Amino acid sequence: QVQLVESGGGLVQAGGSLRLSCAASGRTFRGYTVAWFRQSPGKEREFVAAISFSGNTFYGDFVKGRFAISRDDAKKSVYLQMNNLKPEDTADYYCAARDGVWSHQVSQYEHWGQGTQVTVSS
């Protein structure tokens, strides 16, 4: 079993940056694909980014070069660097992990964190 804990959310002005962290505990993290999703009130949970166990990265279309996902397996952590934030990026951001290849689908991820809130003011 893998437990995930997100941190790094907060309030930031439009154009600013935040770095989210996802810390894993439990069994080995190394072979897992880890992803970030986000959800704002009244909307479905949306794929943001994923990083495979080999380090390949994948992003949602809306990211457009503003976000970067990375991982440090020695620290059992995955990071999401978010730059040039916009008010529409306001959401709860969730870290998720799956033992397999990457997917953009919520249903494919077995392990989830509790989320961290990001608010971008205009």
Side-chain angles (χ1 to χ4, degrees), residues 45-106:
R45 197 163 291 192
E46 175 183 38
F47 172 75
V48 177
I51 186 164
S52 72
F53 51 83
S54 60
N56 293 323
T57 57
F58 309 89
Y59 296 95
D61 291 340
F62 67 89
V63 169
K64 298 187 187 301
R66 299 184 298 128
F67 297 176
I69 188 171
S70 60
R71 67 189 294 160
D72 185 337
D73 287 338
K75 295 183 178 179
K76 289 188 177 180
S77 294
V78 170
Y79 309 98
L80 184 68
Q81 177 67 43
M82 303 189 295
N83 300 323
N84 191 21
L85 283 161
K86 305 175 182 180
E88 51 264 42
D89 294 318
T90 295
D92 291 326
Y93 282 71
Y94 297 89
C95 177
R98 71 184 304 264
D99 186 5
V101 298
W102 87 280
S103 173
H104 67 282
Q105 296 180 315
V106 171

Side-chain angles (χ1 to χ4, degrees), residues 4-25:
L4 304 171
V5 178
E6 302 94 335
S7 61
L11 173 64
V12 64
Q13 289 188 330
S17 298
L18 281 176
R19 188 191 193 213
L20 305 184
S21 298
C22 173
S25 61

